[in-house]
Amino acid sequence: MHEHPADRFPWVVVPGIWDSDPEHWQSRWQDDRGPEAVRIAPASWSAPDPDDWDRAISDAVAACARPPVLVAHSLGVLAAARWLTAHDDGRAAGAFLVAPPDPAAPAFPDAARGFGPPVGAVTTPTALVVSEDDPYCSAERASGFASVLGARVFRIGERQHVNVASGVGAWPEGRRLLDGFVRDAVGG
């Protein structure tokens, strides 16, 4: 079995609104990593409060033996970007952000209106994975979020919202992207 560079770090899994179900790639990756992957546990999964999610990310990061890589999806991308902007101090080794929603888009959930787009650059190595046909965010807008953060962009073609409904399954393509990003940008 070949080594996965991303396995050199613990992970903090940051799902989107309502959490990721067991069939979601995030849950499957977390299951594969066992105790080396910590999922955030906000009190406000269905009516997300940015401060609650910020605390949940801080708690999950603190539960790791060393700085983790944040593995975020959907609303979790906005939560992770917000957290990184406030805590860009080495607490996280890197951030792998997948399929951000656009808070200005009509499909953005009303319950999550407290979350906004990224507001500043971070020094933490960050990658933003962009689907060309994401119903929650245009590729151009997502690339703009990456520019604000100073993140590298991985455009992955038409994968909708990179979730269970889009048919990516365990998303081995994403696991390879994560490994390449960690190898090239995070180190270890």
Side-chain angles (χ1 to χ4, degrees):
M1 187 160 151
H2 64 283
E3 180 197 359
H4 291 287
D7 290 350
R8 294 185 207 138
F9 295 88
W11 298 347
V12 167
V13 176
V14 188
I17 190 171
W18 308 303
D19 200 358
S20 289
D21 67 36
E23 293 305 310
H24 195 287
W25 61 265
Q26 275 184 316
S27 299
R28 293 164 129 191
W29 291 11
Q30 183 179 354
D31 289 347
D32 288 346
R33 288 300 310 277
E36 288 294 305
V38 178
R39 184 180 298 242
I40 67 166
S44 61
W45 277 121
S46 58
D49 173 67
D51 292 332
D52 176 41
W53 284 47
D54 195 69
R55 281 189 300 275
I57 295 171
S58 289
D59 290 348
V61 167
C64 296
R66 62 193 195 108
V69 172
L70 306 181
V71 178
H73 177 255
S74 194
L75 187 66
V77 170
L78 301 183
R82 182 181 190 267
W83 185 87
L84 285 167
T85 303
H87 305 285
D88 193 23
D89 54 12
R91 282 190 239 182
F96 186 74
L97 312 177
V98 180
D102 181 355
F108 193 76
D110 285 337
R113 290 282 170 211
F115 286 86
V119 296
V122 298
T123 59
T124 302
T126 303
L128 190 73
V129 179
V130 178
S131 169
E132 301 298 325
D133 62 347
D134 191 329
Y136 296 100
C137 188
S138 72
E140 293 69 33
R141 185 89 159 121
S143 295
F145 293 167
S147 293
V148 170
L149 285 168
R152 58 179 64 190
V153 175
F154 295 116
R155 291 181 85 142
I156 59 168
E158 295 181 353
R159 299 286 185 285
Q160 298 167 0
H161 197 49
V162 198
N163 56 8
V164 174
S166 67
V168 296
W171 198 37
E173 170 195 23
R175 188 63 165 92
R176 287 189 297 275
L177 284 174
L178 173 62
D179 283 327
F181 163 68
V182 169
R183 181 189 63 239
D184 298 343
V186 181

